[in-house]
Amino acid sequence: TGKEFWWGAVVDLVPEGLRPLAGGHLQTLVRKGLILPERSSLAGEDAFRFHHLLIQEAAYQGLPKERRAELHERFARWIEEHSGDRVLEYEEVVGYHLEQSHRYRVELGASPADETVRDLASRAAERLTAAGRRAWGRGDMAAAANLLERAGTLHGPGEAARLALLPELSEALMETGDLARAGAMLEEALEGARAAGDRGLEGHATIMNLLLMESTDPKARSEIALRELQRLIPIFEELDDRLGLARAWRLTADLRWAQERYAAVDVA
């Protein structure tokens, strides 16, 4: 499914006996106006798009869930194999199709602990996380929050990989103004970090919580922030956590600026 699809992908995904006929069927669909030629974003691949979203939906809904799960996974693999050195541009697409394959398998009764299902979840989360971080880099916070949250959902509650995403996700949610959900993500991260004895994660979640308090409880933040940062900076130094140190010193600079201690801002 999607706005654009490629001749080569269709040939690869249909049953082997139909592959010699796939080109003729595509041309017939073009003549009937059900699909249209499209400018291809993949070099060397002829592309098409559906004439109308309802046509796409009708074709998709006619597939059993088991078949959808298989095709989503195979299409993700096809994109990875055919996008070459541009694969990073398609990580969100690949992540989406792996995510859908995982979803349908779970809906059909597969255990989340099943090796195939876990592998799909891991691969989908990896792609969605990378796409979410690139969205962050270009300033698209709504997309970053959406992608990172979907990546986190693919990991089970309490899993280290999920917990590690929550500080980033909470910051993206703060940027979009969703403070309540950001707070909930941070609470989960702090509880999980303390249960696991993960001082680095606890430190990152604490800093994000201090950033959140600037909007939700600035008086309390002003009383505890510097004390917390003085506690956390040695921990980040011990762990050689450069991102943690960068976040801690950035927040220290903000707090010193508010106190009009400009020399301390320069140091931070």
Side-chain angles (χ1 to χ4, degrees):
T1 64
K3 294 180 179 178
E4 178 185 5
F5 62 96
W6 296 276
W7 185 313
V10 173
V11 171
D12 188 74
L13 296 179
V14 298
E16 189 170 352
L18 292 178
R19 289 175 184 175
L21 307 174
H25 286 308
L26 287 170
Q27 294 302 327
T28 298
L29 292 172
V30 170
R31 286 195 299 272
K32 291 183 176 181
L34 296 174
I35 63 174
L36 302 171
E38 177 78 332
R39 183 177 179 180
S40 180
S41 60
L42 277 181
E45 290 290 341
D46 291 328
F48 303 88
R49 62 179 173 86
F50 286 95
H51 177 70
H52 195 283
L53 180 62
L54 291 177
I55 299 172
Q56 176 198 27
E57 282 296 309
Y60 186 67
Q61 295 301 327
L63 290 171
K65 286 186 177 182
E66 186 174 5
R67 183 70 170 146
R68 292 183 212 174
E70 175 196 350
L71 291 176
H72 276 298
E73 183 180 6
R74 287 175 57 192
F75 183 63
R77 188 182 305 115
W78 187 90
I79 288 281
E80 289 174 324
E81 291 172 353
H82 288 79
S83 52
D85 58 5
R86 296 179 59 198
V87 66
L88 296 182
E89 298 176 33
Y90 292 93
E91 281 198 306
E92 182 176 346
V93 176
V94 171
Y96 166 79
H97 286 284
L98 293 171
E99 177 187 33
Q100 293 302 302
S101 181
H102 172 269
R103 168 194 159 197
Y104 284 124
R105 281 177 164 81
V106 171
E107 288 182 1
L108 288 166
S111 168
D114 178 85
E115 185 176 348
T116 299
V117 174
R118 286 179 62 84
D119 179 64
L120 279 170
S122 177
R123 289 162 58 204
E126 180 181 357
R127 294 295 191 181
L128 294 174
T129 298
R133 287 172 176 158
R134 273 195 303 281
W136 181 288
R138 64 178 182 265
D140 189 347
M141 294 305 175
N146 173 272
L147 291 162
L148 291 174
E149 185 161 18
R150 286 161 56 196
T153 300
L154 286 158
H155 299 296
E159 285 189 15
R162 171 177 170 78
L163 295 173
L165 281 175
L166 296 182
E168 286 179 271
L169 172 57
S170 69
E171 190 170 10
L173 290 169
M174 281 186 257
E175 292 287 340
T176 64
D178 197 342
L179 303 184
R181 286 176 64 229
M185 296 296 106
L186 288 172
E187 184 176 346
E188 181 185 347
L190 284 166
E191 288 179 1
R194 288 165 183 159
D198 188 333
R199 295 185 300 156
L201 175 58
E202 182 182 357
H204 282 282
T206 299
I207 288 176
M208 289 302 136
N209 202 43
L210 291 171
L211 288 171
L212 178 62
M213 288 174 69
E214 184 177 10
S215 299
T216 59
D217 194 353
K219 184 175 184 299
R221 188 184 90 143
S222 65
E223 295 172 355
I224 69 171
L226 285 172
R227 184 172 68 249
E228 282 288 270
L229 288 167
Q230 288 166 1
R231 177 180 69 85
L232 293 173
I233 286 172
I235 293 174
F236 288 135
E237 288 175 339
E238 179 188 342
L239 297 172
D240 194 27
D241 186 335
R242 306 302 178 85
L243 176 59
L245 286 168
R247 285 173 167 167
W249 284 114
R250 184 191 70 177
L251 182 53
T252 301
D254 290 344
L255 293 165
R256 293 306 190 190
W257 182 273
Q259 297 173 336
E260 299 182 353
R261 295 184 58 184
Y262 302 120
V265 174
D266 286 342
V267 170

Coordinates of all heavy atoms in Angstrom, one line a residue, residues 158-236:
G158 N 8.6 -1.9 30.0 CA 9.7 -2.2 30.8 C 11.0 -2.6 30.1 O 12.1 -2.7 30.7
E159 N 10.9 -2.9 28.8 CA 12.1 -3.3 28.1 C 13.1 -2.1 28.0 O 12.7 -1.0 27.9 CB 11.8 -3.7 26.6 CG 11.1 -5.1 26.6 CD 11.0 -5.6 25.1 OE1 11.6 -5.0 24.2 OE2 10.2 -6.6 24.9
A160 N 14.4 -2.5 28.1 CA 15.4 -1.4 28.1 C 15.3 -0.5 26.9 O 15.5 0.7 27.0 CB 16.8 -2.1 28.2
A161 N 15.1 -1.1 25.7 CA 15.0 -0.4 24.5 C 13.9 0.7 24.5 O 14.1 1.8 24.0 CB 14.9 -1.3 23.3
R162 N 12.8 0.3 25.1 CA 11.7 1.2 25.2 C 12.0 2.3 26.1 O 11.8 3.5 25.8 CB 10.4 0.5 25.6 CG 9.2 1.5 26.0 CD 7.9 0.8 26.4 NE 7.0 1.7 26.9 CZ 6.3 2.6 26.2 NH1 6.4 2.6 24.8 NH2 5.4 3.4 26.7
L163 N 12.5 2.0 27.3 CA 12.8 3.0 28.3 C 13.9 4.0 27.8 O 13.8 5.2 28.1 CB 13.4 2.3 29.6 CG 12.4 1.4 30.3 CD1 13.1 0.7 31.5 CD2 11.2 2.2 30.9
A164 N 14.8 3.5 27.0 CA 15.9 4.4 26.5 C 15.3 5.5 25.5 O 15.9 6.6 25.4 CB 16.9 3.6 25.8
L165 N 14.2 5.2 24.9 CA 13.6 6.1 24.0 C 12.7 7.2 24.7 O 12.5 8.3 24.1 CB 12.6 5.4 23.0 CG 13.2 4.7 21.8 CD1 12.1 3.9 21.0 CD2 13.9 5.7 20.9
L166 N 12.3 6.9 25.9 CA 11.3 7.8 26.5 C 11.8 9.2 26.8 O 11.0 10.2 26.6 CB 10.8 7.1 27.8 CG 10.0 5.8 27.6 CD1 9.5 5.3 28.9 CD2 8.9 6.0 26.6
P167 N 13.0 9.5 27.2 CA 13.4 10.9 27.4 C 13.4 11.7 26.1 O 12.9 12.8 26.1 CB 14.9 10.8 27.9 CG 14.9 9.5 28.6 CD 14.0 8.5 27.8
E168 N 13.8 11.1 25.0 CA 13.7 11.7 23.7 C 12.3 12.0 23.3 O 11.9 13.1 22.8 CB 14.4 10.9 22.6 CG 15.9 10.8 22.6 CD 16.4 9.9 21.5 OE1 16.5 8.7 21.7 OE2 16.6 10.5 20.4
L169 N 11.4 11.0 23.5 CA 10.0 11.1 23.1 C 9.4 12.2 24.0 O 8.6 13.0 23.5 CB 9.3 9.7 23.4 CG 7.8 9.8 23.2 CD1 7.3 10.3 21.9 CD2 7.2 8.3 23.5
S170 N 9.7 12.2 25.2 CA 9.1 13.2 26.1 C 9.5 14.6 25.7 O 8.6 15.6 25.7 CB 9.5 13.0 27.6 OG 10.9 13.3 27.8
E171 N 10.7 14.8 25.2 CA 11.1 16.1 24.8 C 10.4 16.5 23.5 O 10.0 17.7 23.3 CB 12.7 16.2 24.6 CG 13.2 17.6 24.3 CD 14.7 17.7 24.3 OE1 15.4 16.7 24.4 OE2 15.2 18.8 24.4
A172 N 10.2 15.6 22.6 CA 9.5 15.9 21.4 C 8.0 16.2 21.7 O 7.4 17.1 21.1 CB 9.5 14.6 20.4
L173 N 7.4 15.5 22.7 CA 6.1 15.8 23.1 C 6.0 17.2 23.7 O 5.0 17.9 23.5 CB 5.6 14.7 24.1 CG 5.3 13.4 23.4 CD1 5.1 12.3 24.5 CD2 4.1 13.4 22.5
M174 N 7.0 17.6 24.5 CA 7.0 18.9 25.1 C 7.0 20.0 24.0 O 6.4 21.0 24.0 CB 8.2 19.1 26.0 CG 8.1 18.5 27.3 SD 9.6 18.9 28.4 CE 10.5 17.3 28.3
E175 N 7.8 19.7 22.9 CA 7.9 20.7 21.8 C 6.6 20.8 21.1 O 6.3 21.9 20.5 CB 9.0 20.2 20.8 CG 10.4 20.3 21.4 CD 10.9 21.7 21.5 OE1 10.4 22.6 20.8 OE2 11.9 22.0 22.3
T176 N 5.8 19.8 21.1 CA 4.5 19.9 20.4 C 3.4 20.4 21.4 O 2.3 20.5 21.0 CB 4.1 18.5 19.9 OG1 3.9 17.6 20.9 CG2 5.1 18.0 18.9
G177 N 3.7 20.6 22.6 CA 2.8 21.1 23.6 C 2.0 20.1 24.4 O 1.1 20.4 25.1
D178 N 2.3 18.8 24.2 CA 1.6 17.7 24.8 C 2.3 17.4 26.2 O 2.9 16.4 26.3 CB 1.5 16.5 23.9 CG 0.5 15.5 24.4 OD1 0.0 15.6 25.5 OD2 0.1 14.6 23.6
L179 N 2.1 18.3 27.1 CA 2.9 18.2 28.4 C 2.4 17.0 29.2 O 3.2 16.4 29.9 CB 2.7 19.5 29.2 CG 3.2 20.8 28.4 CD1 3.1 22.0 29.3 CD2 4.6 20.6 27.9
A180 N 1.1 16.7 29.2 CA 0.6 15.6 30.1 C 1.2 14.3 29.6 O 1.7 13.5 30.5 CB -0.9 15.6 30.0
R181 N 1.3 14.0 28.4 CA 1.8 12.8 27.9 C 3.3 12.8 28.1 O 3.9 11.7 28.4 CB 1.5 12.5 26.4 CG 0.0 12.1 26.3 CD -0.4 12.0 24.9 NE 0.3 10.9 24.2 CZ 0.9 11.1 23.0 NH1 0.9 12.2 22.4 NH2 1.5 10.0 22.4
A182 N 4.0 13.9 27.9 CA 5.4 14.0 28.2 C 5.7 13.6 29.6 O 6.6 12.8 29.9 CB 5.9 15.4 27.9
G183 N 4.9 14.1 30.5 CA 5.0 13.8 32.0 C 4.9 12.3 32.2 O 5.6 11.7 33.0
A184 N 3.9 11.7 31.6 CA 3.6 10.3 31.7 C 4.8 9.4 31.2 O 5.2 8.4 31.9 CB 2.3 9.9 31.0
M185 N 5.4 9.8 30.1 CA 6.6 9.1 29.6 C 7.7 9.2 30.5 O 8.5 8.2 30.7 CB 7.0 9.7 28.2 CG 5.9 9.6 27.1 SD 5.6 7.9 26.6 CE 4.0 7.6 27.4
L186 N 7.9 10.4 31.1 CA 9.0 10.6 32.0 C 8.8 9.8 33.3 O 9.8 9.2 33.9 CB 9.2 12.0 32.3 CG 9.8 12.9 31.2 CD1 9.8 14.3 31.5 CD2 11.2 12.4 30.8
E187 N 7.6 9.7 33.8 CA 7.3 8.9 35.0 C 7.7 7.5 34.7 O 8.3 6.8 35.6 CB 5.9 9.1 35.4 CG 5.5 8.4 36.7 CD 4.1 8.7 37.1 OE1 3.4 9.6 36.6 OE2 3.6 7.9 38.0
E188 N 7.3 7.0 33.6 CA 7.6 5.6 33.2 C 9.1 5.4 33.1 O 9.6 4.3 33.6 CB 6.9 5.2 31.9 CG 7.2 3.8 31.4 CD 6.6 3.5 30.1 OE1 5.8 4.3 29.5 OE2 7.0 2.4 29.5
A189 N 9.8 6.3 32.5 CA 11.2 6.2 32.4 C 11.9 6.2 33.7 O 12.8 5.4 33.9 CB 11.8 7.3 31.5
L190 N 11.5 7.1 34.6 CA 12.1 7.1 35.9 C 11.9 5.9 36.7 O 12.8 5.3 37.3 CB 11.6 8.4 36.7 CG 12.2 9.7 36.2 CD1 11.4 10.9 36.8 CD2 13.6 9.8 36.6
E191 N 10.7 5.4 36.7 CA 10.4 4.1 37.4 C 11.2 3.0 36.9 O 11.8 2.2 37.6 CB 8.9 3.8 37.3 CG 8.0 4.8 38.1 CD 6.5 4.4 38.0 OE1 6.2 3.4 37.3 OE2 5.7 5.1 38.6
G192 N 11.2 2.9 35.5 CA 12.0 1.8 34.9 C 13.5 1.9 35.2 O 14.2 0.9 35.4
A193 N 14.0 3.1 35.1 CA 15.4 3.3 35.3 C 15.8 2.9 36.8 O 16.9 2.3 37.0 CB 15.8 4.7 35.1
R194 N 15.0 3.3 37.7 CA 15.3 3.0 39.1 C 15.2 1.5 39.4 O 16.0 1.0 40.1 CB 14.4 3.8 40.0 CG 14.7 5.3 40.1 CD 13.6 6.1 40.6 NE 13.9 7.6 40.6 CZ 13.0 8.5 40.6 NH1 11.7 8.3 40.7 NH2 13.4 9.8 40.6
A195 N 14.2 0.9 38.8 CA 14.1 -0.6 39.0 C 15.2 -1.3 38.4 O 15.7 -2.3 38.9 CB 12.8 -1.0 38.3
A196 N 15.8 -0.8 37.3 CA 16.9 -1.5 36.6 C 18.3 -1.0 37.1 O 19.3 -1.6 36.8 CB 16.8 -1.2 35.1
G197 N 18.3 0.0 38.0 CA 19.5 0.5 38.5 C 20.3 1.2 37.4 O 21.6 1.3 37.4
D198 N 19.6 1.8 36.4 CA 20.3 2.5 35.3 C 20.4 4.0 35.6 O 19.5 4.8 35.4 CB 19.4 2.3 34.0 CG 20.1 2.8 32.7 OD1 21.0 3.7 32.8 OD2 19.8 2.2 31.7
R199 N 21.6 4.3 36.1 CA 21.8 5.7 36.5 C 21.8 6.7 35.4 O 21.4 7.9 35.5 CB 23.1 5.8 37.3 CG 23.1 5.1 38.6 CD 24.4 5.3 39.4 NE 25.5 4.9 38.6 CZ 26.8 5.4 38.8 NH1 27.0 6.3 39.7 NH2 27.8 5.0 38.1
G200 N 22.3 6.3 34.2 CA 22.3 7.1 33.1 C 21.0 7.5 32.6 O 20.6 8.7 32.4
L201 N 20.1 6.5 32.4 CA 18.7 6.7 32.0 C 18.0 7.6 33.0 O 17.3 8.5 32.7 CB 18.0 5.4 31.8 CG 16.5 5.5 31.4 CD1 16.3 6.3 30.2 CD2 15.9 4.1 31.3
E202 N 18.2 7.3 34.3 CA 17.5 8.1 35.3 C 18.0 9.5 35.2 O 17.2 10.5 35.4 CB 17.9 7.5 36.7 CG 17.2 8.3 37.8 CD 17.5 7.8 39.2 OE1 18.3 6.8 39.3 OE2 17.1 8.4 40.2
G203 N 19.3 9.8 34.9 CA 19.8 11.1 34.8 C 19.1 11.8 33.6 O 18.7 13.0 33.7
H204 N 19.0 11.2 32.5 CA 18.4 11.8 31.3 C 16.9 12.1 31.6 O 16.4 13.2 31.2 CB 18.5 10.9 30.1 CG 19.9 10.9 29.5 ND1 20.3 11.9 28.6 CD2 20.9 10.0 29.6 CE1 21.5 11.7 28.2 NE2 21.9 10.5 28.8
A205 N 16.2 11.2 32.2 CA 14.8 11.4 32.5 C 14.6 12.5 33.5 O 13.7 13.3 33.4 CB 14.2 10.1 33.0
T206 N 15.6 12.6 34.5 CA 15.5 13.7 35.5 C 15.7 15.1 34.8 O 14.9 16.0 35.1 CB 16.6 13.5 36.5 OG1 16.3 12.3 37.2 CG2 16.5 14.6 37.6
I207 N 16.6 15.2 33.9 CA 16.8 16.4 33.2 C 15.6 16.8 32.4 O 15.2 18.0 32.4 CB 18.1 16.4 32.3 CG1 19.3 16.4 33.2 CG2 18.1 17.5 31.3 CD1 20.6 16.2 32.4
M208 N 15.0 15.8 31.7 CA 13.8 16.1 30.9 C 12.7 16.6 31.8 O 11.9 17.4 31.5 CB 13.4 14.9 30.1 CG 14.3 14.6 28.9 SD 14.5 16.0 27.8 CE 16.2 16.0 27.5
N209 N 12.6 16.0 33.0 CA 11.6 16.3 33.9 C 11.8 17.8 34.4 O 10.8 18.5 34.6 CB 11.6 15.4 35.1 CG 10.3 15.4 35.9 OD1 9.2 15.4 35.2 ND2 10.3 15.4 37.2
L210 N 13.0 18.2 34.6 CA 13.3 19.6 35.0 C 12.9 20.5 33.9 O 12.4 21.6 34.1 CB 14.8 19.7 35.3 CG 15.3 19.0 36.6 CD1 16.8 19.0 36.7 CD2 14.6 19.6 37.8
L211 N 13.2 20.1 32.6 CA 12.7 21.0 31.5 C 11.2 21.1 31.5 O 10.7 22.2 31.2 CB 13.2 20.4 30.2 CG 14.7 20.5 29.9 CD1 15.1 19.7 28.7 CD2 15.1 21.9 29.7
L212 N 10.5 20.0 31.8 CA 9.1 20.0 31.8 C 8.6 20.9 32.9 O 7.6 21.6 32.7 CB 8.6 18.6 32.0 CG 7.0 18.4 32.0 CD1 6.4 18.8 30.8 CD2 6.7 16.9 32.3
M213 N 9.2 20.9 34.0 CA 8.8 21.7 35.2 C 8.9 23.2 34.9 O 8.2 23.9 35.6 CB 9.6 21.3 36.4 CG 9.3 20.0 37.0 SD 10.4 19.5 38.4 CE 9.9 20.7 39.6
E214 N 9.7 23.6 34.0 CA 9.7 25.0 33.6 C 8.3 25.5 33.1 O 8.0 26.6 33.3 CB 10.7 25.2 32.5 CG 10.9 26.7 32.1 CD 12.0 26.9 31.1 OE1 12.5 25.9 30.5 OE2 12.3 28.0 30.8
S215 N 7.6 24.5 32.5 CA 6.2 24.9 32.1 C 5.1 24.5 33.1 O 4.1 25.1 33.1 CB 5.9 24.2 30.7 OG 6.8 24.5 29.7
T216 N 5.4 23.5 33.9 CA 4.3 23.0 34.8 C 4.5 23.5 36.2 O 3.5 23.6 37.0 CB 4.3 21.5 34.7 OG1 5.5 21.0 35.2 CG2 4.0 21.0 33.3
D217 N 5.7 23.7 36.7 CA 5.9 24.0 38.1 C 7.3 24.8 38.2 O 8.2 24.3 38.8 CB 6.0 22.8 39.0 CG 5.8 23.1 40.5 OD1 5.8 24.3 40.8 OD2 5.7 22.1 41.2
P218 N 7.3 26.0 37.7 CA 8.6 26.7 37.6 C 9.2 27.0 39.0 O 10.4 27.1 39.2 CB 8.3 28.0 36.9 CG 6.8 28.1 36.9 CD 6.3 26.7 37.0
K219 N 8.3 27.3 40.0 CA 8.8 27.6 41.3 C 9.6 26.4 41.9 O 10.7 26.6 42.5 CB 7.7 28.0 42.2 CG 8.1 28.5 43.6 CD 6.9 29.0 44.4 CE 7.3 29.5 45.8 NZ 8.0 28.5 46.6
A220 N 9.0 25.3 41.8 CA 9.6 24.1 42.4 C 10.9 23.8 41.6 O 11.9 23.4 42.2 CB 8.7 22.9 42.3
R221 N 10.9 24.0 40.3 CA 12.1 23.7 39.5 C 13.3 24.6 40.0 O 14.4 24.2 40.1 CB 11.9 23.9 38.1 CG 13.0 23.4 37.2 CD 12.8 23.7 35.7 NE 13.4 25.0 35.4 CZ 14.0 25.3 34.2 NH1 14.1 24.3 33.3 NH2 14.4 26.5 33.9
S222 N 13.0 25.9 40.2 CA 14.1 26.8 40.6 C 14.7 26.4 41.9 O 15.9 26.7 42.2 CB 13.5 28.2 40.7 OG 12.6 28.3 41.7
E223 N 13.9 25.7 42.7 CA 14.5 25.3 44.1 C 15.3 24.0 44.0 O 16.2 23.9 44.8 CB 13.3 25.1 45.0 CG 12.5 26.4 45.3 CD 11.3 26.1 46.1 OE1 11.0 24.9 46.4 OE2 10.6 27.1 46.5
I224 N 15.0 23.2 43.0 CA 15.7 21.9 43.0 C 16.7 21.6 41.8 O 17.5 20.8 41.9 CB 14.7 20.7 43.1 CG1 13.9 20.6 41.7 CG2 13.8 20.8 44.2 CD1 13.1 19.4 41.6
A225 N 16.5 22.5 40.8 CA 17.2 22.1 39.5 C 18.7 22.1 39.7 O 19.4 21.2 39.3 CB 16.8 23.1 38.4
L226 N 19.3 23.2 40.2 CA 20.8 23.2 40.3 C 21.3 22.1 41.2 O 22.4 21.5 40.9 CB 21.2 24.6 40.8 CG 21.2 25.7 39.8 CD1 21.5 27.1 40.4 CD2 22.1 25.4 38.6
R227 N 20.6 21.8 42.3 CA 21.0 20.7 43.2 C 21.0 19.4 42.4 O 21.9 18.6 42.5 CB 20.1 20.7 44.4 CG 20.5 19.6 45.4 CD 19.7 19.8 46.7 NE 18.3 19.4 46.5 CZ 17.3 20.2 46.5 NH1 17.5 21.5 46.7 NH2 16.0 19.8 46.3
E228 N 20.0 19.2 41.6 CA 19.9 17.9 40.9 C 21.0 17.9 39.8 O 21.6 16.8 39.6 CB 18.5 17.8 40.2 CG 17.4 17.4 41.1 CD 17.5 15.9 41.5 OE1 17.0 15.1 40.7 OE2 18.2 15.6 42.5
L229 N 21.3 19.0 39.2 CA 22.3 19.0 38.1 C 23.7 18.8 38.7 O 24.5 18.1 38.1 CB 22.3 20.3 37.4 CG 21.0 20.5 36.4 CD1 20.9 21.9 36.0 CD2 21.1 19.6 35.2
Q230 N 23.9 19.3 39.9 CA 25.2 19.1 40.5 C 25.4 17.6 40.9 O 26.5 17.1 40.9 CB 25.3 20.0 41.8 CG 25.5 21.5 41.4 CD 25.3 22.4 42.6 OE1 25.0 22.0 43.7 NE2 25.4 23.7 42.3
R231 N 24.3 16.9 41.2 CA 24.3 15.5 41.5 C 24.5 14.7 40.2 O 25.3 13.7 40.2 CB 23.0 15.1 42.1 CG 22.9 13.6 42.4 CD 21.6 13.2 43.1 NE 20.4 13.4 42.2 CZ 20.0 12.4 41.3 NH1 20.7 11.3 41.3 NH2 19.0 12.7 40.6
L232 N 23.9 15.1 39.1 CA 23.9 14.3 37.9 C 25.2 14.5 37.0 O 25.6 13.5 36.4 CB 22.7 14.7 37.0 CG 21.3 14.4 37.5 CD1 20.3 15.0 36.7 CD2 21.2 12.9 37.6
I233 N 25.8 15.7 37.0 CA 27.0 15.9 36.2 C 28.1 14.9 36.5 O 28.7 14.3 35.6 CB 27.4 17.3 36.3 CG1 26.4 18.2 35.4 CG2 28.8 17.5 35.7 CD1 26.6 19.7 35.6
P234 N 28.4 14.7 37.8 CA 29.5 13.6 38.1 C 29.1 12.2 37.6 O 29.9 11.4 37.2 CB 29.6 13.7 39.6 CG 29.1 15.1 40.0 CD 28.0 15.4 39.0
I235 N 27.8 11.9 37.6 CA 27.3 10.6 37.2 C 27.6 10.5 35.7 O 28.1 9.5 35.2 CB 25.9 10.4 37.5 CG1 25.7 10.3 39.0 CG2 25.3 9.1 36.8 CD1 24.2 10.2 39.5
F236 N 27.2 11.5 34.9 CA 27.4 11.5 33.5 C 28.9 11.5 33.1 O 29.3 10.8 32.2 CB 26.8 12.7 32.8 CG 25.3 12.7 32.8 CD1 24.5 13.8 33.1 CD2 24.6 11.5 32.4 CE1 23.1 13.7 33.0 CE2 23.2 11.5 32.3 CZ 22.5 12.6 32.6

